[in-house]
Amino acid sequence: MALLNGKTALVTGSTSGIGLGVALGLARQGANVIVNGFGDTEACRAQVAQAGLAEKIRTGFHGADMSKPEQIEDLFAYAERDFGGVDVLVNNAGIQHVALVENFPVERWDAIIAINLSSAFHTTRLAMPGMRRRNWGRVINIASAHGLVASAQKSAYVAAKHGIVGFTKAVALETATTGVTVNAICPGWVLTPLVQKQIDDRAAREGIALDQARVDLLGEKQPSLQFTTPEQLAELTLFLCSPGADNVRGQAWAVDGGWTAQ
Ligand code: NAD
């Protein structure tokens, strides 16, 4: 029997990058998976279904915009109706914007706080009653190395990611005597569209080749000089879902090639 047979996982922002990698890992371990996000949603759902084929999983999709609380409520009504609730909640949807604070567009600040932080409050408050009732649940927040340390020109992102690390600790304490655990994962650089855009911008700004921009980006922060992969983050997610992690609570677990060890 696979680790997550009979459980349902919701991964927000699972149509790309880290979220898709985590959704595939959960499906391979037998979880029913609800996919969420924008883009080629049907292709992503099909990929997740394929990953869980041997375990006969079910997949679902809901296109809630995670900046909109009423759409998140609709997503949870769908999860309850079609899957009987959410056992594994991975709060992953996120966006980035890079600018000095005095130039930071107010609308971008609001969007980053809504998608990267407030959405996790809404999903967690909606998932928690069912998790408590079943006395089992996993809330895994994809934070960032920027939940532990800062970088210039990322004030909204750093504020949101520090916020979600604090939120993780608070809810972990609220659930400490239950079968529900709440933890955060703090990746360093992962080569996804979110980071590729920063590499492209850097190459254009400095008039250098993309390869050079990639090496410079890593060299500045990540001592291993290697990107973390979505597959590695999926493996850690699966560990946090396993009985071995029953007493791992309120942690912010860095997977950052040494970034925050400096
Ligand atoms: P990505 O751009 O590849 O994927 C983002 C996903 O979120 C997509 O599925 C997108 O459709 C979805 N999304 C965006 N806005 C949404 C909204 N309003 N509602 C619903 N879905 C929405 O990004 P990624 O690099 O895979 O990042 C995923 C998470 O990991 C983010 O929270 C990000 O902050 C975090 N993270 C990424 C890195 C990295 O280096 N890539 C490092 C640390 C943390």
Side-chain angles (χ1 to χ4, degrees):
M1 185 154 155
L3 176 68
L4 293 170
N5 281 138
K7 307 282 195 221
T8 294
L10 165 64
V11 186
T12 69
S14 44
T15 54
S16 174
I18 295 168
L20 179 57
V22 168
L24 292 170
L26 292 165
R28 280 190 202 101
Q29 281 301 323
N32 298 322
V33 178
I34 302 173
V35 174
N36 159 262
F38 305 142
D40 193 350
T41 57
E42 268 315 303
C44 292
R45 183 178 174 175
Q47 218 180 318
V48 174
Q50 182 63 32
L53 202 60
E55 297 300 328
K56 301 186 169 51
I57 71 157
R58 290 173 56 219
T59 62
F61 172 78
H62 194 287
D65 178 335
M66 300 307 291
S67 69
K68 304 267 177 356
E70 66 283 3
Q71 294 189 24
I72 299 173
E73 288 183 4
D74 195 59
L75 159 61
F76 271 80
Y78 162 74
E80 196 63 49
R81 196 172 58 241
D82 281 32
F83 290 86
V86 171
D87 304 295
V88 177
L89 168 62
V90 182
N91 288 308
N92 167 79
I95 58 169
Q96 176 62 287
H97 187 82
V98 179
L100 292 172
V101 69
E102 60 268 37
N103 301 331
F104 217 92
V106 171
E107 164 278 322
R108 287 288 84 196
W109 172 278
D110 288 343
I112 289 176
I113 299 299
I115 297 166
N116 297 18
L117 176 58
S118 300
S119 73
F121 159 65
H122 292 294
T123 55
T124 304
R125 75 178 169 82
L126 292 163
M128 198 53 73
M131 289 182 177
R132 280 192 190 274
R133 209 165 42 242
R134 294 184 288 275
N135 198 33
W136 195 91
R138 293 290 188 260
V139 179
I140 297 165
N141 295 320
I142 307 299
S144 169
H146 285 117
L148 304 170
V149 296
S151 296
Q153 304 209 36
K154 295 187 175 174
S155 56
Y157 189 86
V158 169
K161 294 300 186 181
H162 274 66
I164 203 164
V165 168
F167 177 73
T168 300
K169 292 178 186 176
V171 184
L173 293 179
E174 292 179 13
T175 54
T177 59
T178 75
V180 181
T181 71
V182 185
N183 290 287
I185 294 177
C186 295
W189 293 122
V190 184
L191 192 54
T192 67
L194 182 142
V195 165
Q196 186 61 48
K197 181 176 180 310
Q198 294 174 61
I199 293 169
D200 295 347
D201 290 350
R202 187 181 190 121
R205 193 174 59 243
E206 297 179 9
I208 56 177
L210 282 176
D211 275 353
Q212 189 59 47
R214 193 175 301 123
V215 169
D216 291 353
L217 179 111
L218 280 173
E220 213 171 68
K221 301 280 186 188
Q222 197 145 303
S224 68
L225 302 179
Q226 305 282 335
F227 287 103
T228 296
T229 65
E231 292 73 22
Q232 289 167 338
L233 299 174
E235 289 297 322
L236 178 53
T237 301
L238 289 171
F239 169 66
L240 290 173
C241 289
S242 74
D246 277 352
N247 212 24
V248 180
R249 294 172 186 271
Q251 292 306 300
W253 194 320
V255 191
D256 65 2
W259 180 327
T260 54
Q262 297 170 96

